[in-house]
mmCIF file of all heavy atoms in Angstrom:
data_model
loop_
_atom_site.group_PDB
_atom_site.id
_atom_site.type_symbol
_atom_site.label_atom_id
_atom_site.label_comp_id
_atom_site.label_asym_id
_atom_site.label_seq_id
_atom_site.Cartn_x
_atom_site.Cartn_y
_atom_site.Cartn_z
ATOM 1 N N ALA A 587 16.783 110.034 104.309
ATOM 2 C CA ALA A 587 17.550 110.814 105.284
ATOM 3 C C ALA A 587 17.986 112.108 104.616
ATOM 4 O O ALA A 587 18.338 112.114 103.433
ATOM 5 C CB ALA A 587 18.761 110.018 105.757
ATOM 6 N N TYR A 588 17.976 113.188 105.362
ATOM 7 C CA TYR A 588 18.382 114.475 104.808
ATOM 8 C C TYR A 588 18.954 115.354 105.920
ATOM 9 O O TYR A 588 18.607 115.216 107.100
ATOM 10 C CB TYR A 588 17.216 115.183 104.120
ATOM 11 C CG TYR A 588 15.975 115.318 104.974
ATOM 12 C CD1 TYR A 588 15.782 116.433 105.795
ATOM 13 C CD2 TYR A 588 14.996 114.331 104.971
ATOM 14 C CE1 TYR A 588 14.658 116.558 106.583
ATOM 15 C CE2 TYR A 588 13.862 114.450 105.753
ATOM 16 C CZ TYR A 588 13.694 115.559 106.564
ATOM 17 O OH TYR A 588 12.578 115.673 107.349
ATOM 18 N N ARG A 589 19.849 116.254 105.542
ATOM 19 C CA ARG A 589 20.521 117.129 106.492
ATOM 20 C C ARG A 589 19.523 118.095 107.132
ATOM 21 O O ARG A 589 18.642 118.635 106.467
ATOM 22 C CB ARG A 589 21.617 117.934 105.792
ATOM 23 C CG ARG A 589 22.670 117.085 105.096
ATOM 24 C CD ARG A 589 23.516 116.346 106.093
ATOM 25 N NE ARG A 589 24.379 115.378 105.421
ATOM 26 C CZ ARG A 589 24.980 114.366 106.032
ATOM 27 N NH1 ARG A 589 24.803 114.190 107.329
ATOM 28 N NH2 ARG A 589 25.746 113.540 105.356
ATOM 29 N N ASN A 590 19.718 118.352 108.416
ATOM 30 C CA ASN A 590 18.830 119.267 109.126
ATOM 31 C C ASN A 590 19.009 120.709 108.689
ATOM 32 O O ASN A 590 18.143 121.550 108.948
ATOM 33 C CB ASN A 590 19.059 119.166 110.634
ATOM 34 C CG ASN A 590 18.560 117.844 111.192
ATOM 35 O OD1 ASN A 590 17.800 117.136 110.539
ATOM 36 N ND2 ASN A 590 19.003 117.512 112.399
ATOM 37 N N ASN A 591 20.147 121.010 108.048
ATOM 38 C CA ASN A 591 20.343 122.382 107.588
ATOM 39 C C ASN A 591 19.560 122.686 106.322
ATOM 40 O O ASN A 591 19.545 123.813 105.847
ATOM 41 C CB ASN A 591 21.830 122.655 107.341
ATOM 42 C CG ASN A 591 22.400 121.779 106.229
ATOM 43 O OD1 ASN A 591 22.058 120.613 106.113
ATOM 44 N ND2 ASN A 591 23.268 122.349 105.416
ATOM 45 N N ILE A 592 18.896 121.692 105.781
ATOM 46 C CA ILE A 592 18.068 121.892 104.594
ATOM 47 C C ILE A 592 16.647 122.200 105.044
ATOM 48 O O ILE A 592 16.004 121.395 105.704
ATOM 49 C CB ILE A 592 18.068 120.656 103.686
ATOM 50 C CG1 ILE A 592 19.490 120.265 103.311
ATOM 51 C CG2 ILE A 592 17.232 120.905 102.442
ATOM 52 C CD1 ILE A 592 19.581 118.966 102.541
ATOM 53 N N GLY A 593 16.153 123.356 104.699
ATOM 54 C CA GLY A 593 14.790 123.718 105.055
ATOM 55 C C GLY A 593 13.815 123.365 103.944
ATOM 56 O O GLY A 593 14.189 122.880 102.881
ATOM 57 N N ASN A 594 12.542 123.621 104.201
ATOM 58 C CA ASN A 594 11.483 123.376 103.219
ATOM 59 C C ASN A 594 11.382 121.918 102.798
ATOM 60 O O ASN A 594 11.026 121.612 101.664
ATOM 61 C CB ASN A 594 11.697 124.232 101.961
ATOM 62 C CG ASN A 594 11.342 125.679 102.187
ATOM 63 O OD1 ASN A 594 10.511 125.985 103.037
ATOM 64 N ND2 ASN A 594 11.968 126.573 101.450
ATOM 65 N N VAL A 595 11.703 121.014 103.688
ATOM 66 C CA VAL A 595 11.628 119.595 103.348
ATOM 67 C C VAL A 595 10.228 119.079 103.674
ATOM 68 O O VAL A 595 9.756 119.210 104.798
ATOM 69 C CB VAL A 595 12.687 118.786 104.120
ATOM 70 C CG1 VAL A 595 12.506 117.294 103.860
ATOM 71 C CG2 VAL A 595 14.077 119.228 103.711
ATOM 72 N N ARG A 596 9.590 118.522 102.668
ATOM 73 C CA ARG A 596 8.263 117.921 102.867
ATOM 74 C C ARG A 596 8.264 116.551 102.202
ATOM 75 O O ARG A 596 7.819 116.394 101.070
ATOM 76 C CB ARG A 596 7.171 118.817 102.280
ATOM 77 C CG ARG A 596 5.762 118.212 102.362
ATOM 78 C CD ARG A 596 5.343 117.950 103.801
ATOM 79 N NE ARG A 596 3.933 117.653 103.918
ATOM 80 C CZ ARG A 596 3.394 116.427 103.759
ATOM 81 N NH1 ARG A 596 4.164 115.411 103.472
ATOM 82 N NH2 ARG A 596 2.097 116.262 103.901
ATOM 83 N N PRO A 597 8.829 115.540 102.872
ATOM 84 C CA PRO A 597 8.890 114.206 102.246
ATOM 85 C C PRO A 597 7.500 113.695 101.892
ATOM 86 O O PRO A 597 6.543 113.862 102.651
ATOM 87 C CB PRO A 597 9.535 113.344 103.343
ATOM 88 C CG PRO A 597 10.269 114.316 104.204
ATOM 89 C CD PRO A 597 9.432 115.549 104.203
ATOM 90 N N SER A 598 7.394 113.072 100.717
ATOM 91 C CA SER A 598 6.120 112.527 100.263
ATOM 92 C C SER A 598 6.362 111.258 99.471
ATOM 93 O O SER A 598 7.273 111.204 98.645
ATOM 94 C CB SER A 598 5.390 113.545 99.385
ATOM 95 O OG SER A 598 4.325 112.942 98.686
ATOM 96 N N ILE A 599 5.562 110.245 99.703
ATOM 97 C CA ILE A 599 5.693 108.995 98.964
ATOM 98 C C ILE A 599 5.388 109.206 97.490
ATOM 99 O O ILE A 599 5.798 108.429 96.630
ATOM 100 C CB ILE A 599 4.751 107.915 99.557
ATOM 101 C CG1 ILE A 599 5.147 106.520 99.066
ATOM 102 C CG2 ILE A 599 3.294 108.223 99.203
ATOM 103 C CD1 ILE A 599 6.473 106.044 99.571
ATOM 104 N N HIS A 600 4.700 110.283 97.166
ATOM 105 C CA HIS A 600 4.342 110.569 95.778
ATOM 106 C C HIS A 600 5.436 111.302 95.025
ATOM 107 O O HIS A 600 5.263 111.611 93.850
ATOM 108 C CB HIS A 600 3.060 111.401 95.721
ATOM 109 C CG HIS A 600 1.925 110.815 96.493
ATOM 110 N ND1 HIS A 600 1.375 109.594 96.180
ATOM 111 C CD2 HIS A 600 1.258 111.269 97.583
ATOM 112 C CE1 HIS A 600 0.400 109.323 97.045
ATOM 113 N NE2 HIS A 600 0.318 110.316 97.896
ATOM 114 N N GLY A 601 6.546 111.582 95.690
ATOM 115 C CA GLY A 601 7.583 112.381 95.070
ATOM 116 C C GLY A 601 8.844 111.618 94.729
ATOM 117 O O GLY A 601 9.928 112.175 94.757
ATOM 118 N N GLY A 602 8.735 110.345 94.406
ATOM 119 C CA GLY A 602 9.927 109.582 94.053
ATOM 120 C C GLY A 602 10.754 109.291 95.282
ATOM 121 O O GLY A 602 10.412 108.434 96.085
ATOM 122 N N SER A 603 11.850 109.993 95.476
ATOM 123 C CA SER A 603 12.680 109.812 96.659
ATOM 124 C C SER A 603 12.027 110.427 97.885
ATOM 125 O O SER A 603 12.503 110.228 99.003
ATOM 126 C CB SER A 603 14.045 110.477 96.450
ATOM 127 O OG SER A 603 13.909 111.883 96.476
ATOM 128 N N GLY A 604 10.955 111.173 97.695
ATOM 129 C CA GLY A 604 10.315 111.835 98.812
ATOM 130 C C GLY A 604 10.912 113.194 99.109
ATOM 131 O O GLY A 604 10.423 113.913 99.963
ATOM 132 N N LEU A 605 11.977 113.569 98.414
ATOM 133 C CA LEU A 605 12.636 114.835 98.701
ATOM 134 C C LEU A 605 12.787 115.716 97.474
ATOM 135 O O LEU A 605 13.104 116.894 97.589
ATOM 136 C CB LEU A 605 14.036 114.573 99.284
ATOM 137 C CG LEU A 605 14.073 113.856 100.624
ATOM 138 C CD1 LEU A 605 15.513 113.543 100.998
ATOM 139 C CD2 LEU A 605 13.434 114.693 101.711
ATOM 140 N N ASN A 606 12.591 115.190 96.301
ATOM 141 C CA ASN A 606 12.930 115.923 95.081
ATOM 142 C C ASN A 606 11.833 116.847 94.590
ATOM 143 O O ASN A 606 11.958 117.429 93.527
ATOM 144 C CB ASN A 606 13.266 114.927 93.966
ATOM 145 C CG ASN A 606 14.591 114.250 94.214
ATOM 146 O OD1 ASN A 606 15.470 114.831 94.821
ATOM 147 N ND2 ASN A 606 14.734 113.037 93.745
ATOM 148 N N GLN A 607 10.754 116.983 95.334
ATOM 149 C CA GLN A 607 9.605 117.647 94.763
ATOM 150 C C GLN A 607 9.358 119.043 95.316
ATOM 151 O O GLN A 607 8.434 119.700 94.914
ATOM 152 C CB GLN A 607 8.354 116.794 94.998
ATOM 153 C CG GLN A 607 7.816 116.820 96.418
ATOM 154 C CD GLN A 607 8.605 115.954 97.364
ATOM 155 O OE1 GLN A 607 9.612 115.397 96.987
ATOM 156 N NE2 GLN A 607 8.160 115.854 98.590
ATOM 157 N N ILE A 608 10.182 119.526 96.240
ATOM 158 C CA ILE A 608 9.902 120.826 96.845
ATOM 159 C C ILE A 608 11.157 121.682 96.885
ATOM 160 O O ILE A 608 12.252 121.238 96.580
ATOM 161 C CB ILE A 608 9.320 120.659 98.277
ATOM 162 C CG1 ILE A 608 10.084 119.581 99.055
ATOM 163 C CG2 ILE A 608 7.865 120.298 98.226
ATOM 164 C CD1 ILE A 608 11.395 119.996 99.611
ATOM 165 N N ASN A 609 11.005 122.940 97.257
ATOM 166 C CA ASN A 609 12.146 123.843 97.385
ATOM 167 C C ASN A 609 12.938 123.509 98.640
ATOM 168 O O ASN A 609 12.368 123.180 99.670
ATOM 169 C CB ASN A 609 11.665 125.285 97.482
ATOM 170 C CG ASN A 609 11.067 125.772 96.197
ATOM 171 O OD1 ASN A 609 11.284 125.186 95.145
ATOM 172 N ND2 ASN A 609 10.293 126.836 96.264
ATOM 173 N N TRP A 610 14.232 123.668 98.555
ATOM 174 C CA TRP A 610 15.100 123.479 99.709
ATOM 175 C C TRP A 610 15.660 124.837 100.116
ATOM 176 O O TRP A 610 15.920 125.690 99.280
ATOM 177 C CB TRP A 610 16.271 122.554 99.372
ATOM 178 C CG TRP A 610 15.866 121.152 99.079
ATOM 179 C CD1 TRP A 610 14.789 120.722 98.370
ATOM 180 C CD2 TRP A 610 16.566 119.981 99.480
ATOM 181 N NE1 TRP A 610 14.773 119.350 98.295
ATOM 182 C CE2 TRP A 610 15.856 118.874 98.972
ATOM 183 C CE3 TRP A 610 17.735 119.749 100.211
ATOM 184 C CZ2 TRP A 610 16.267 117.563 99.170
ATOM 185 C CZ3 TRP A 610 18.146 118.444 100.402
ATOM 186 C CH2 TRP A 610 17.411 117.367 99.898
ATOM 187 N N ASN A 611 15.919 125.001 101.408
ATOM 188 C CA ASN A 611 16.453 126.266 101.883
ATOM 189 C C ASN A 611 17.401 126.015 103.042
ATOM 190 O O ASN A 611 17.088 125.256 103.959
ATOM 191 C CB ASN A 611 15.322 127.180 102.346
ATOM 192 C CG ASN A 611 15.838 128.508 102.840
ATOM 193 O OD1 ASN A 611 16.637 129.138 102.166
ATOM 194 N ND2 ASN A 611 15.396 128.911 104.005
ATOM 195 N N THR A 612 18.566 126.628 102.992
ATOM 196 C CA THR A 612 19.532 126.493 104.072
ATOM 197 C C THR A 612 20.574 127.593 103.960
ATOM 198 O O THR A 612 20.732 128.217 102.911
ATOM 199 C CB THR A 612 20.234 125.128 104.041
ATOM 200 O OG1 THR A 612 21.049 125.001 105.199
ATOM 201 C CG2 THR A 612 21.096 124.975 102.809
#
Side-chain angles (χ1 to χ4, degrees):
Y588 52 90
R589 302 291 171 198
N590 290 344
N591 63 321
I592 305 174
N594 285 333
V595 174
R596 176 61 168 85
S598 166
I599 196 67
H600 308 297
S603 71
L605 296 174
N606 288 330
Q607 75 282 5
I608 43 78
N609 291 342
W610 294 40
N611 180 49
T612 186

